[in-house]
Amino acid sequence: MQRLAILGSTGSIGTSTLDVAARHPDRFRVFALTAHQRIDRLFEQCLAFLPEIAVVGDAHGAAELEQKLRAARLNTEVAYGPQALSAVASSSGCDAVVAAIVGGAGLASSLAAARAGKKILLANKEALVMSGALFMRTVAQHGATLLPLDSEHNAIFQCLSTGSCRGTGVERLILTASGGPFLQRELDTLDGVTPEQACKHPNWVMGRKISVDSATMMNKGLETIEARWLFDMPPERIEVLIHPQSVIHSMVAYADQSVLAQLGNPDMRTPIAHAMAYPQRVDSGVAPLDLTRMANLSFHTPDLARFPCLRLGLQVLRDGCTASVTLNAANEIAVDAFLHEKLRFTDIARLVERTLDRLPPLAGSATLEDILAADELARATARQFIAQLPTIRQAAGAVH
Ligand code: NAD
Ligand code: MG
């Protein structure tokens, strides 16, 4: 019986994780659930899964949840705030931590799980983008087990004979990308894209932030950085390939030119179930893949002019150290502003590039203090740039 702490349980990944857990009550028990704001949803999850503890964002939310739980005669303990998240992630009450908070907000609790030597099921790619070397060191030092939930990385993990690429004859990692909703859209119409259009992914249903990241392809930039750390792979041996059907979730090319791929319907419950049951296999609830309908699988290299965020992600992959912290922080600010209609879709890349230009990366390896300072500075700088957007657009030669 594995006791799970699901951080970010009300999100897209959190909900899919609970769906898989509910199929196997003999294997998984829910120790903790956490949500930032959606108290109603968290309460429903508490009713269904009876966790020992539930964590919310603030005192107000905690009082609201507490009242609902007591009215329903549930004795789930309620806590709130970032420290409670880290406490849950490192508690002796859980064996595995599902790190499914979105953004840099998930860094502290993911690291806490690593320090406590937990089995970590990592969806929160931003944590690894921000702290890659430090995170992997912490995992190794404390005997934690890191299993990727991101579908591409989970696919690569499945195609590797050991968790790492060193000394195993691996030549290249090939990350596939759907290209998102704007793969074919006229370039000069991207300025007018709305948040709803950007969040309407052709193949996956996901949270709003990662949906925008998929539309800009920043997501694939973040994922190349994620792969670099997860699999200890030199940046120049990680490739991105557009594969609009999202059936092959990624590939590993070996020295003898064998290419191993993992296939499946685009449903996150497959990688989630894989990581939850690893090294065994269990039913995920996903429909079987119908290979007779796979006659038109296609692949091509991405157009970096169409996807400047991917270009920036690949640049940062090579620059290393705090460059990826800056990229991630500026992107979080830009995506949030876009979702609140304070920024155009095409401004996201502009804002991130400006912030990267303004804040050169530290040399060497970053401490946690360096990372947190770089994160804060990049967020503040990106916010300032939002106020100066008309000038920035002009300088970039934008029409409007
Ligand atoms: P989501 O927006 O649907 O859910 C995010 C969860 O995080 C929610 O439970 C929310 O309450 C919580 N949260 C948000 N801000 C928080 C904060 N400041 N403090 C504490 N909790 C907070 O997001 P998602 O799509 O489930 O994605 C979660 C993570 O998984 C992201 O890092 C994303 O990149 C990664 N991921 C998602 C998918 C997918 O299919 N959705 C696929 C691969 C990777
Ligand atoms: Mg992915």
Side-chain angles (χ1 to χ4, degrees):
M1 181 66 79
Q2 261 189 76
R3 298 162 305 166
L4 304 173
I6 306 177
L7 312 183
S9 65
T10 52
S12 163
I13 293 286
T15 308
S16 295
T17 304
L18 285 172
D19 182 282
V20 176
R23 292 169 193 275
H24 306 283
D26 52 323
R27 283 176 177 263
F28 305 110
R29 206 175 72 214
V30 175
F31 162 70
L33 296 173
T34 89
H36 198 46
Q37 280 163 338
R38 299 175 71 178
I39 306 298
D40 279 352
R41 187 132 189 212
L42 183 60
F43 171 63
E44 281 163 23
Q45 293 182 339
C46 288
L47 281 181
F49 292 93
L50 307 174
E52 285 176 37
I53 180 161
V55 180
V56 298
D58 58 25
H60 183 75
E64 190 185 330
L65 181 64
E66 181 101 37
Q67 193 203 354
K68 285 176 187 287
L69 289 169
R70 300 310 157 239
R73 298 190 179 284
L74 252 66
N75 53 10
T76 298
E77 185 189 328
V78 179
Y80 65 89
Q83 281 177 358
L85 287 175
S86 293
V88 155
S90 52
S91 164
S92 57
C94 70
D95 310 299
V97 175
V98 180
I101 290 175
V102 61
L107 174 63
S109 49
S110 301
L111 268 175
R115 272 190 224 106
K118 300 291 183 196
K119 172 174 165 182
I120 306 167
L121 280 55
L122 187 77
N124 180 217
K125 66 190 83 182
E126 295 91 346
L128 208 51
V129 167
M130 292 171 74
S131 71
L134 176 85
F135 198 96
M136 298 310 290
R137 231 177 17 245
T138 310
V139 165
Q141 273 168 4
H142 297 275
T145 305
L146 187 55
L147 297 168
L149 291 191
D150 214 347
S151 56
E152 297 76 2
H153 306 75
N154 185 272
I156 289 170
F157 185 88
Q158 293 195 45
C159 296
L160 291 171
S161 46
T162 68
S164 161
C165 292
R166 295 276 159 169
T168 50
V170 172
E171 197 174 81
R172 285 172 299 140
L173 301 181
I174 304 160
L175 293 177
T176 52
S178 70
F182 307 137
L183 186 59
Q184 308 290 350
R185 193 175 162 126
E186 293 288 326
L187 275 184
D188 59 4
T189 67
L190 283 177
D191 256 351
V193 157
T194 65
E196 292 328 303
Q197 290 168 333
C199 288
K200 207 162 179 295
H201 195 279
N203 305 339
W204 302 91
V205 181
M206 309 181 284
R208 284 168 77 77
K209 191 262 179 183
I210 186 177
S211 294
V212 176
D213 284 349
S214 299
T216 60
M217 282 195 76
M218 178 59 90
N219 185 48
K220 214 49 58 178
L222 300 177
E223 288 183 356
T224 54
I225 302 169
E226 184 186 8
R228 187 252 175 282
W229 295 115
L230 269 176
F231 305 116
D232 192 14
M233 192 64 170
E236 63 279 7
R237 286 163 52 193
I238 306 174
E239 282 175 22
V240 173
L241 205 53
I242 303 256
H243 165 48
Q245 299 81 15
S246 299
V247 168
I248 293 186
H249 297 302
S250 277
M251 294 175 257
V252 176
Y254 286 89
D256 60 5
Q257 300 315 321
S258 287
V259 177
L260 299 194
Q262 184 258 351
L263 285 71
N265 283 320
D267 185 321
M268 287 305 293
R269 290 176 300 173
T270 293
I272 290 170
H274 169 266
M276 282 171 77
Y278 183 81
Q280 295 168 349
R281 299 271 181 173
V282 295
D283 169 36
S284 60
V286 176
L289 183 66
D290 181 355
L291 284 163
T292 62
R293 296 176 64 187
M294 300 294 145
N296 295 316
L297 298 187
S298 59
F299 306 91
H300 62 266
T301 48
D303 172 4
L304 296 184
R306 174 177 287 275
F307 295 112
C309 282
L310 176 59
R311 170 176 57 76
L312 294 171
L314 297 175
Q315 174 192 313
V316 157
L317 176 69
R318 291 185 298 268
D319 289 350
C321 201
T322 51
S324 57
V325 182
T326 304
L327 172 94
N328 178 67
N331 182 58
E332 284 194 31
I333 296 296
V335 171
D336 187 64
F338 168 69
L339 285 172
H340 289 91
E341 300 188 47
K342 294 188 178 123
L343 203 77
R344 293 181 198 161
F345 183 74
T346 45
D347 287 332
I348 296 173
R350 273 185 207 120
L351 201 74
V352 174
E353 185 151 32
R354 267 290 166 124
T355 311
L356 283 169
D357 287 348
R358 172 65 63 88
L359 304 173
L362 292 181
S365 61
T367 64
L368 185 57
E369 289 69 33
D370 294 334
I371 291 164
L372 297 177
D375 179 64
E376 200 175 315
L377 183 60
R379 284 171 199 267
T381 307
R383 281 196 194 95
Q384 273 174 13
F385 282 147
I386 291 182
Q388 300 164 17
L389 265 174
T391 331
I392 293 174
R393 282 193 202 118
Q394 257 179 0
V399 198
H400 306 287

